[in-house]
Amino acid sequence: MNKKTLQKAEPYYLQLQQTIKERIWSGFYKPGERLYEAQLAKHFKVSRSPVREAIRTLINEGLLTMGSNSQITVYEPSLQDVRDIYECRIALESIAVALTAEQATDEQLEELEETLRETQEAIKKEEKERIVECNVRFHELIIEISGNLRLKKIVEDLHSLTYYYRLLNTKGVQRATTILKDHSDILDAIKEKNAIKASKRLEKHTQEDLQNLIRSLSIEMI
């Protein structure tokens, strides 16, 4: 008799963590909204233990915050926090893209090229989530190709908030088209193996992303 490999079910807290995360990203849970451990446990029909663990992990990721009175609320972006995180991204990703320009293989260049083709297709169909996913993938590939594992770990620590910002920052076909053009310019510099040009283009792209996000957040905060 053939032995069947049993697949271990994903722990409840990981399922809850992902579900709550997606609800924050989608706007189902609003910035500043208070979440209650007991209500979440009742809603998802689980004990409070996995809810508590999911909340702890999301606090570490920055998507939930705990006040001095132990109240749990959804992360509410501030202009200063946005600037701080984008400064980190600019510093880290500029190094990564320079390394990528120096050592990317033909196969890796094709992977980057494929993300641009997928982005173009997503823009044509106006698929916002897919556009954001392609955006994320392009930047993740640059980090991976750089080969700097320490850098990759630091960037991953910012992933949840960075993804959240990208959702806020990708509104409308025009903005998505601008991002695609920037990515294309960055890839051209990588193909030229011009580390300095690639780094400058990525920094310019990220700075423009930051300014666009600040404008969007400033309008929403009025």
Side-chain angles (χ1 to χ4, degrees), residues 174-189:
Q174 184 175 353
R175 181 61 194 155
T177 302
T178 299
I179 291 171
L180 175 60
K181 174 64 168 57
D182 287 351
H183 285 185
S184 181
D185 290 343
I186 292 167
L187 181 54
D188 286 344

Side-chain angles (χ1 to χ4, degrees), residues 30 47 60 94 114 132:
K30 305 297 182 185
S47 69
N60 289 338
S94 294
E114 177 61 23
V132 174

Side-chain angles (χ1 to χ4, degrees), residues 13-14 16-18 21 50-64 157 160:
Y13 85 90
L14 288 178
L16 287 167
Q17 175 190 340
Q18 188 61 32
K21 182 185 297 186
V51 172
R52 192 175 301 119
E53 182 64 20
I55 288 173
R56 184 191 66 79
T57 305
L58 289 169
I59 288 173
N60 289 338
E61 291 185 19
L63 288 175
L64 294 179
D157 289 342
S160 290

Side-chain angles (χ1 to χ4, degrees), residues 47-214:
S47 69
R48 293 176 69 163
S49 180
V51 172
R52 192 175 301 119
E53 182 64 20
I55 288 173
R56 184 191 66 79
T57 305
L58 289 169
I59 288 173
N60 289 338
E61 291 185 19
L63 288 175
L64 294 179
T65 59
M66 178 180 286
S68 56
N69 54 1
S70 297
Q71 289 185 352
I72 305 299
T73 56
V74 176
Y75 170 72
E76 194 166 9
S78 69
L79 296 181
Q80 186 58 55
D81 202 25
V82 168
R83 289 191 181 98
D84 289 348
I85 289 176
Y86 267 77
E87 284 176 3
C88 291
R89 282 192 55 209
I90 289 168
L92 295 167
E93 293 188 35
S94 294
I95 295 170
V97 79
L99 292 170
T100 295
E102 292 171 353
Q103 61 197 29
T105 64
D106 290 342
E107 291 77 11
Q108 290 168 333
L109 291 174
E110 176 56 30
E111 282 188 87
L112 288 166
E113 195 79 68
E114 177 61 23
T115 65
L116 301 189
R117 289 193 289 267
E118 290 182 6
T119 304
Q120 183 66 62
E121 183 66 24
I123 290 173
K124 287 180 181 178
K125 296 181 179 179
E126 298 187 16
E127 297 173 337
K128 179 181 176 180
E129 287 188 13
R130 189 179 168 204
I131 292 169
V132 174
E133 287 169 3
C134 290
N135 185 356
V136 170
R137 181 59 180 155
F138 182 81
H139 286 269
E140 286 180 344
L141 276 171
I142 288 173
I143 301 297
E144 289 173 14
I145 296 169
S146 77
N148 189 317
L149 298 181
R150 294 288 184 179
L151 187 152
K152 181 180 179 181
K153 174 63 171 62
I154 297 171
V155 172
E156 285 176 348
D157 289 342
L158 300 173
H159 172 76
S160 290
L161 288 179
T162 299
Y163 188 87
Y164 181 48
Y165 293 152
R166 284 188 173 122
L167 285 169
L168 294 175
N169 214 358
T170 309
K171 295 182 178 180
V173 171
Q174 184 175 353
R175 181 61 194 155
T177 302
T178 299
I179 291 171
L180 175 60
K181 174 64 168 57
D182 287 351
H183 285 185
S184 181
D185 290 343
I186 292 167
L187 181 54
D188 286 344
I190 293 172
K191 288 178 177 178
E192 294 171 14
K193 295 190 177 298
N194 191 324
I196 294 175
K197 184 189 287 188
S199 182
K200 286 182 177 179
R201 286 184 175 178
L202 187 139
E203 180 177 352
K204 179 175 178 291
H205 163 62
T206 311
Q207 285 282 9
E208 289 174 352
D209 251 7
L210 170 59
Q211 295 307 315
N212 187 73
L213 182 56
I214 287 174

